[in-house]
Amino acid sequence: VIVNNLDDAHELIDHAISTALIESKPVYISISCNLPAIPHPSFHHDPAPYCLTSRLSNPKSLEAAVEAAAEFLNAAVKPVLVGGPKLRVAKAKDAFTKLADASGYAVAVMPSAKGQVIETHPHFIGTYWGAVSTAFCAEIVESADAYLFAGPIFNDYSSVGYSLLLKKEKAIIVQPNRVTITNGPTFGCVLMKDFLEALAKKLKRNTTAMENYQRIFVPEGVPLKGAPSEPLRVNVLFKHIQAMLSNETAVIAETGDSWFNCQKLKLPEKCGYEFQMQYGLIGWSVGATLGYAQATPQKRVISCIGDGSFQVTAQDISTMIRYGQKNIIFLINNGGYTIEVEIHDGPYNVIKNWNYTALVDAIHNGEGKCWTAKVKTEEEAIEAIATAQETKKDCLCFIEVIVHKDDTSKELLEWGSRVSAANSRPPNPQ
């Protein structure tokens, strides 16, 4: 909204705030700079109590959607549930968990929904991300004869270059205010939370997909410990980051290889997790770390940020120090935009190297609490993490990790080649 005069300022600002609360999305309020100091009669009394009208499902539409979905799922042999990022917007996370409890189905999440579903749930099988899914997860989801996606977003990144092996006739797609059953009808005016809660009461318990997963599952291996003075490998670093996680921490994953390495972290219950896939914003995580830590001071934020991304938004470190934040930032320095190398290589993906720890020290400038370290080996990483968690637990801790430019996850190599192929496909004929 744009406030250019005081007569409708109340109405416009109330409209913006109520829209933010109802839609669970950000809003923008622009106020002309010459207005704030001007008195106005409407400001002379206390604010009037403000109430929001709750959205309601259409009862008939809800009933029809639940009956159609239950009939379809109860006829399936090995159905599964997949949580999507709009679970949060729809305020349906608890309803989704109750549906998982009642149905017995295997439960996966889309990559951008990591952290929205409790990963300690007994039927949780990991992240469904097509060819770069958690081990054994894609096989269970794509071989199912029915899948319910709650709040999905399908785009080129989440679909790994449009290569998901899903069939529309097997899918129920639940969005925040509508439900689509396979190729059949779409039921509007149905809130996701209401639908999932009602559906949980109608489904027959079916654990076939979960049993199939348990039959094929093989535990992951652990990266080999590095030899003394051996250059640090990224998978070894993340083994130690895994050990840092608790219900008092939150993970911020930057766009890039951290997407894939952080997806493999196993989140304890109530451990926060955020990453931004919809636009693939490089540099997003520095500001996101600042915002998350300011809003959730009871958690210590652990951020995994690439050097190229950090160069875009490095100045937000200053505000973190100013407000006394205690974040732990791992600056993974591999000398360039590695994710872009895998999508479309070129000399523009190599960047000028900075002395990152010296930059942060300069921003610190002796004011506030900040500690920096530069590590090149596993021994140095272990020591730096211990310092950050113990003697420097009240400081912003910035740990620059030097790794080889080609040290990437196997998932990034696979994902990059598929997205690259999708990006270079011939245009549709006119």
Side-chain angles (χ1 to χ4, degrees):
V1 297
I2 300 173
V3 179
N4 285 329
N5 63 79
L6 296 179
D7 291 334
D8 58 0
H10 271 168
E11 180 184 354
L12 291 173
I13 292 171
D14 282 354
H15 172 65
I17 293 173
S18 62
T19 299
L21 294 172
I22 292 170
E23 300 291 344
S24 295
K25 293 181 180 180
V27 298
Y28 296 87
I29 302 173
S30 171
I31 301 176
S32 297
C33 62
N34 61 335
L35 294 182
I38 300 175
H40 190 269
S42 63
F43 303 155
H44 291 169
H45 55 75
D46 292 335
Y50 190 68
C51 296
L52 291 174
T53 302
S54 299
R55 284 183 169 175
L56 300 173
S57 296
N58 180 304
K60 293 293 185 183
S61 188
L62 173 62
E63 181 182 0
V66 170
E67 290 296 334
E71 181 180 1
F72 175 70
L73 292 170
N74 285 334
V77 176
K78 44 185 179 179
V80 298
L81 300 175
V82 184
K86 293 183 182 179
L87 278 172
R88 173 160 54 186
V89 174
K91 299 179 175 63
K93 291 190 287 185
D94 290 342
F96 185 80
T97 300
K98 290 176 183 177
L99 178 61
D101 292 339
S103 66
Y105 296 177
V107 179
V109 293
M110 298 183 74
S112 47
K114 186 176 175 70
Q116 302 301 308
V117 176
I118 299 173
E119 296 190 5
T120 54
H121 191 282
H123 291 167
F124 184 76
I125 64 172
T127 299
Y128 174 64
W129 200 356
V132 295
S133 299
T134 304
F136 311 107
C137 179
E139 291 82 354
I140 295 301
V141 172
E142 293 179 344
S143 67
D145 55 346
Y147 16 76
L148 184 150
F149 280 81
I153 296 176
F154 294 108
N155 56 26
D156 53 345
Y157 285 0
S158 67
S159 66
V160 196
Y162 307 107
S163 65
L164 301 182
L165 300 179
L166 300 174
K167 295 182 178 179
K168 193 174 181 180
E169 59 268 23
K170 294 182 179 182
I172 295 176
I173 306 296
V174 187
Q175 295 295 4
N177 58 3
R178 68 183 186 276
V179 177
T180 301
I181 312 291
T182 65
N183 289 315
T186 293
F187 299 90
C189 299
V190 175
L191 299 185
M192 183 191 296
K193 179 176 178 289
D194 295 342
F195 173 79
L196 298 179
E197 289 177 346
L199 183 62
K201 301 172 184 177
K202 294 282 187 177
L203 292 184
K204 299 175 184 175
R205 191 167 178 82
N206 186 334
T207 58
T208 304
M210 191 63 207
E211 292 165 6
N212 289 344
Y213 173 77
Q214 292 168 337
R215 272 189 281 270
I216 66 173
F217 176 74
V218 177
E220 293 180 40
V222 178
L224 297 175
K225 183 175 178 60
S229 301
E230 177 187 343
L232 181 60
R233 303 191 308 276
V234 173
N235 58 6
V236 173
L237 169 66
F238 275 86
K239 176 181 72 173
H240 295 291
I241 292 176
Q242 174 69 68
M244 299 171 69
L245 304 185
S246 72
N247 61 0
E248 297 179 344
T249 60
V251 177
I252 304 288
E254 174 58 83
T255 300
D257 200 25
S258 292
W259 269 3
F260 305 94
N261 289 307
C262 289
Q263 278 292 328
K264 290 183 278 189
L265 294 173
K266 294 175 175 58
L267 302 181
E269 189 170 353
K270 296 184 179 179
C271 176
Y273 187 92
E274 300 292 339
F275 97 136
Q276 199 288 116
M277 169 165 280
Q278 183 65 14
Y279 307 105
L281 286 172
I282 288 175
W284 162 88
S285 66
V286 188
T289 298
L290 167 62
Y292 194 106
Q294 196 66 16
T296 319
Q298 68 272 24
K299 289 187 182 292
R300 196 168 193 193
V301 179
I302 300 170
S303 299
C304 302
I305 306 174
D307 51 338
S309 298
F310 183 75
Q311 289 194 9
V312 179
T313 48
Q315 67 274 18
D316 278 336
I317 290 286
S318 178
T319 310
M320 295 180 200
I321 297 172
R322 177 187 172 197
Y323 283 98
Q325 295 186 359
K326 303 170 186 177
N327 313 321
I328 301 175
I329 296 175
F330 290 96
L331 188 286
I332 302 171
N333 185 350
N334 56 12
Y337 291 109
T338 304
I339 191 170
E340 301 295 345
V341 169
E342 302 306 326
I343 297 174
H344 193 281
D345 199 5
Y348 37 76
N349 290 325
V350 179
I351 61 175
K352 172 72 176 68
N353 190 40
W354 291 359
N355 187 337
Y356 293 97
T357 52
L359 171 67
V360 173
D361 287 337
I363 294 172
H364 176 208
N365 196 29
E367 299 177 7
K369 294 183 178 180
C370 178
W371 173 77
T372 64
K374 193 186 298 277
V375 304
K376 298 180 180 179
T377 67
E378 183 177 10
E379 291 79 7
E380 291 173 351
I382 292 171
E383 182 180 352
I385 290 171
T387 300
Q389 291 184 306
E390 296 167 8
T391 58
K392 299 297 182 180
K393 64 183 179 181
D394 293 328
C395 297
L396 176 74
C397 296
F398 184 90
I399 302 172
E400 180 183 355
V401 184
I402 310 297
V403 299
H404 192 276
K405 68 181 181 66
D406 294 326
D407 186 354
T408 64
S409 64
K410 70 180 183 65
E411 289 82 6
L412 173 56
L413 298 176
E414 176 72 26
W415 181 91
S417 64
R418 289 174 180 262
V419 171
S420 175
N423 286 356
S424 59
R425 68 193 185 279
N428 292 329
Q430 297 300 313

